[in-house]
Amino acid sequence: MMQQPNLHAFHIPVMGLAFSIDSPLKVGPFGISSVVSLSDDTLIEQMREHYSRKYHEPFEAITPDQPDYRARRINAYLNLLHKYVQILTGKIREEAFDASSRISKYFRMLPNSSPLKKLYNQMLQTEDETQKTVLQNQLREAVQPGAVDVNIMTKLDKTNYKKDGTPLPFEFSDALAGLRGFATSEGVSSVVYSAGMNMRLYGYMEQFPEAFQYGKNGFKKKIIIKVSDYRSAAVQGKIMAKKGLWVSEFRIESGLNCGGHAFATDGFLLGPILEEFRLNREVLRQELFGFYKAACEAKSWNVPAETPETRLTVQGGIGTAEEQNFLLDHYGADATGWGTPFLLVPEATTVDENTLQKLVDAREEDLYLSPISPLGVPFNSLRNTTSEELKLSRIAKGKPGSPCVKKHLVSNTEFTDQPICTASRKYQVRKLEELKEANLAPEVYQKEVESVLAKECLCEGLAHTALVVNDIKTKNRNAVAICPGPNLAYFSGVYSLEEMVDHIYGRHDILNDAYRPHMFVNELKMYVTYWLKLKKAQFDNPTDKQEKYLRTFRENLLQGIAYYRQLLPTLFPENTNGYFLMEEELFEAADALLIDENAFAGA
């Protein structure tokens, strides 16, 4: 299969479990790539049934009592997505070039710099009908779908068990089964690995050379690694290359200014991280190719004549066309990821009406870095969701915790041999009993109880919106959790797909009236707040290790601020309002890091 062109300068990243679960069917026919989560095979099977009914496809359920059901569910759903993205794209290709047609919308949404957009405009201005028809036929042939990519959170790789309680072989773990379903699916697409390394998963990829080996038309299945810094890219890229696996894209995401789980770096800010990639990107690519070529030759795999492409994309908190263009032009990024704003675009994502209105109304104070994830990782959340209401209702009734049906986030073995989830009733009841018997000081006890009860069932909460929107019946209450990034505070409407794309490309401005600092400043403020919170938590008696970490974290932030001060004239013309505002914000951030410097031990 031929490689699909990158028509757009952005993609829609994975969002939760459900919010982008069917985005390929919505935006793929318009040439826009999006990412589907493979975490929840139950939701995937429900969506496959829904769309099979909608498209009059035969449907035979794949049930948990069948062999390899998780991989087979994922494979079947991805094949359905691939088939109907192709069909829907073909229908667009056949439409007339009317102002209201989807094929006209397809070309209108392309970036102004696109050769196809220029050809489209030329066609519109051509009066000769014969020549116009020739140009229209050229345009029809150029209509291609966006990629149907998938996401695997590498650390969500629980062992699965037989009915008698004995563990299944390692290849039936969640992540490996997900990979198997993807690798054997139809179509040219990519797997996005996020949340760190999983050596077992990476090694398992070698068993699918037909998917990941370089062929005459390139790679059928590409590898994308989401990273937080250059070192992570270099380490993981080398691990892959030495296995004969090529990383086709490093997807850099802000540690804190993002949706969902937030994996804070040690104070390394997005700008300096991008600068390191800008300076070393080509050197890294050639170094990786040396390892890759040697590994492929040792396995008798195909070796490309030239070093394959390694794209660089950026996501996390981007909100304006100016920021988009700066990332592309200054750092040489190939594209960007826009996630949170697309939660406000029903044509692109799946969000139920009640939650959508909460997103529209959300302000800065409604968006917070929460402790609700059972993984113990900070989680960007929206206040007052129906999932939060259900959690509080259970606590009020003396029945804290969730039933834990899906078990995707099980990790704790304090009370059980097999891991359980810290948001589950099974865990919380036992943990609260343990705390009662611990004779803790009242304030310590209360703090520990609050920490236990804060956890929320994300397996259900992040999946339910798709069930609500598509009227899919479920035995459980349809309480919805959602995980927007802080960037949502600057968007306050429900938008069409074309409106959002026009905003990205600078043809239309949809930001609300709230003052919005530059994305680099927004991220910096989050990191300063994060550092101050860490410092406060460890104020009384920090260990040497904690104290060293705090100092290193702060030093990295201060170096980042110094970098941004040097970058200011490139970001904004001097003596302009934007220049002065960002300069002042950088000074304020530095002051917050340096004030009361001697107030904690060892200073």
Side-chain angles (χ1 to χ4, degrees):
M1 291 187 174
M2 296 299 293
Q3 299 294 298
Q4 295 171 326
N6 295 302
L7 298 174
H8 282 277
F10 73 93
H11 61 265
I12 300 177
V14 67
M15 286 185 279
L17 299 174
F19 308 115
S20 61
I21 190 70
D22 54 356
S23 290
L25 292 170
K26 297 181 176 185
V27 303
F30 291 102
I32 299 171
S33 298
S34 57
V35 186
V36 174
S37 171
L38 298 189
S39 294
D40 188 347
D41 60 89
T42 301
L43 173 64
I44 284 171
E45 181 72 352
Q46 290 170 313
M47 296 302 290
R48 184 173 73 90
E49 180 177 7
H50 169 75
Y51 279 107
S52 294
R53 308 295 187 210
K54 179 176 179 178
Y55 295 136
H56 307 291
E57 283 280 316
F59 175 80
E60 184 176 343
I62 302 171
T63 58
D65 60 348
Q66 297 177 11
D68 204 18
Y69 74 93
R70 176 171 165 80
R72 291 174 55 213
R73 283 175 164 182
I74 288 168
N75 181 273
Y77 183 59
L78 293 179
N79 288 343
L80 182 144
L81 290 180
H82 170 71
K83 177 179 179 178
Y84 278 94
V85 168
Q86 296 290 332
I87 289 173
L88 294 170
T89 304
K91 290 181 177 179
I92 287 178
R93 193 180 289 121
E94 296 170 356
E95 290 183 353
F97 280 89
D98 299 328
S100 59
S101 68
R102 291 177 299 170
I103 194 169
S104 294
K105 178 179 175 180
Y106 182 102
F107 288 103
R108 282 198 308 268
M109 288 196 295
L110 292 175
N112 293 343
S113 59
S114 166
L116 288 178
K117 179 68 171 287
K118 294 175 182 177
L119 186 64
Y120 172 72
N121 289 332
Q122 180 186 342
M123 181 275 294
L124 292 178
Q125 295 166 8
T126 299
E127 296 182 359
D128 182 272
E129 289 302 318
T130 301
Q131 181 61 22
K132 184 183 283 283
T133 300
V134 170
L135 294 175
Q136 288 179 348
N137 289 336
Q138 291 179 20
L139 290 168
R140 291 185 200 283
E141 291 177 4
V143 171
Q144 296 295 328
V148 182
D149 294 332
V150 305
N151 178 261
I152 295 178
M153 284 188 71
T154 58
K155 297 301 175 66
L156 297 188
D157 192 22
K158 70 176 173 67
T159 298
N160 289 304
Y161 296 83
K162 299 177 184 177
K163 288 184 178 180
D164 63 5
T166 58
L168 287 165
F170 77 94
E171 62 265 28
F172 294 98
S173 69
D174 275 8
L176 273 63
L179 173 65
R180 184 165 58 254
F182 163 76
T184 56
S185 67
E186 299 169 2
V188 176
S189 57
S190 303
V191 58
V192 182
Y193 289 129
S194 63
M197 290 187 288
N198 180 335
M199 296 303 293
R200 182 173 71 172
L201 175 65
Y202 290 177
Y204 188 57
M205 297 178 71
E206 296 178 77
Q207 298 192 23
F208 302 96
E210 68 282 2
F212 297 108
Q213 183 181 180
Y214 188 84
K216 64 178 181 179
N217 294 319
F219 297 101
K220 180 182 178 183
K221 303 295 186 185
K222 293 184 178 181
I223 301 166
I224 298 174
I225 300 183
K226 189 187 292 185
V227 297
S228 58
D229 56 33
Y230 180 83
R231 180 181 176 277
S232 177
V235 169
Q236 295 190 72
K238 289 175 184 176
I239 290 171
M240 292 288 190
K242 289 177 180 179
K243 297 178 183 295
L245 301 168
W246 185 254
V247 178
S248 294
E249 178 182 327
F250 290 115
R251 188 161 287 184
I252 306 164
E253 182 173 72
S254 168
L256 294 181
N257 194 10
C258 59
H261 287 97
F263 297 91
T265 65
D266 293 350
F268 294 110
L269 300 172
L270 187 59
I273 290 168
L274 291 172
E275 182 68 19
E276 190 170 8
F277 273 97
R278 186 179 74 84
L279 295 174
N280 301 299
R281 175 182 176 181
E282 185 57 26
V283 173
L284 175 62
R285 189 171 76 101
Q286 295 302 332
E287 182 182 11
L288 294 181
F289 184 64
F291 293 119
Y292 171 75
K293 182 179 179 181
C296 288
E297 289 174 344
K299 295 180 176 184
S300 299
W301 285 11
N302 297 328
V303 179
E306 298 179 352
T307 308
E309 175 187 47
T310 298
R311 301 179 80 230
L312 182 71
T313 61
V314 190
Q315 59 195 47
I318 309 167
T320 67
E322 290 76 18
E323 292 172 352
Q324 161 93 3
N325 292 334
F326 187 80
L327 295 171
L328 301 181
D329 297 338
H330 184 76
Y331 294 110
D334 295 290
T336 60
W338 287 64
T340 291
F342 274 103
L343 291 172
L344 301 170
V345 182
E347 288 180 71
T349 56
T350 297
V351 182
D352 62 281
E353 192 62 38
N354 177 61
T355 306
L356 181 62
Q357 192 55 53
K358 290 179 184 291
L359 294 175
V360 170
D361 296 338
R363 298 295 179 264
E364 288 188 42
E365 59 270 20
D366 301 313
L367 304 159
Y368 71 117
L369 200 58
S370 77
I372 71 172
S373 173
L375 295 179
V377 178
F379 190 73
N380 276 304
S381 302
L382 174 71
R383 297 186 192 278
N384 302 319
T385 62
T386 50
S387 181
E388 182 183 357
E389 291 172 6
L390 176 59
K391 176 181 71 175
L392 296 176
S393 172
R394 285 169 170 164
I395 293 170
K397 293 176 182 178
K399 296 181 178 180
S402 70
C404 196
V405 177
K406 295 181 177 178
K407 298 179 170 59
H408 294 306
L409 301 182
V410 296
S411 62
N412 187 280
T413 54
E414 285 180 65
F415 308 109
T416 56
D417 293 330
Q418 291 187 17
I420 59 176
C421 179
T422 56
S424 69
R425 184 166 301 152
K426 188 174 184 178
Y427 172 81
Q428 291 195 0
V429 168
R430 295 187 186 189
K431 189 64 177 179
L432 292 173
E433 288 175 353
E434 180 185 74
L435 290 174
K436 281 183 181 178
E437 298 170 359
N439 295 318
L440 300 172
E443 64 277 8
V444 175
Y445 172 75
Q446 186 59 35
K447 185 177 180 180
E448 291 294 324
V449 168
E450 290 174 359
S451 177
V452 172
L453 297 178
K455 305 306 177 189
E456 203 166 294
C457 178
L458 299 183
C459 292
E460 298 286 1
L462 294 178
H464 275 159
T465 193
L467 308 184
V468 175
V469 169
N470 295 301
D471 196 26
I472 298 172
K473 293 182 180 179
T474 176
K475 295 179 181 178
N476 304 312
R477 286 180 59 178
N478 285 325
V480 173
I482 197 163
C483 48
N487 204 28
L488 181 74
Y490 310 109
F491 297 86
S492 299
V494 177
Y495 308 105
S496 70
L497 177 61
E498 192 165 4
E499 284 177 325
M500 185 58 70
V501 173
D502 282 348
H503 175 78
I504 292 171
Y505 291 141
R507 300 187 290 249
H508 182 53
D509 185 0
I510 60 175
L511 291 178
N512 59 29
D513 294 332
Y515 169 64
R516 182 184 180 280
H518 191 277
M519 61 177 289
F520 288 161
V521 173
N522 272 330
E523 185 200 48
L524 170 61
K525 288 181 176 180
M526 292 171 206
Y527 268 99
V528 171
T529 300
Y530 186 86
W531 182 83
L532 290 171
K533 187 175 181 180
L534 284 177
K535 176 184 171 185
K536 182 178 180 181
Q538 299 170 8
F539 178 82
D540 290 334
N541 189 27
T543 64
D544 290 343
K545 183 177 179 180
Q546 289 172 332
E547 188 175 317
K548 181 179 178 181
Y549 178 72
L550 283 170
R551 291 188 176 282
T552 300
F553 199 111
R554 181 179 61 182
E555 184 57 34
N556 290 335
L557 287 178
L558 291 171
Q559 289 178 9
I561 291 171
Y563 169 82
Y564 286 144
R565 284 173 176 160
Q566 293 179 342
L567 190 68
L568 256 177
T570 311
L571 283 169
F572 299 103
E574 292 193 56
N575 299 319
T576 62
N577 194 44
Y579 183 99
F580 288 130
L581 282 171
M582 185 166 175
E583 184 178 46
E584 181 61 29
E585 288 161 340
L586 294 175
F587 277 119
E588 289 175 357
D591 286 345
L593 293 168
L594 294 171
I595 197 167
D596 294 331
E597 183 178 355
N598 299 319
F600 64 98

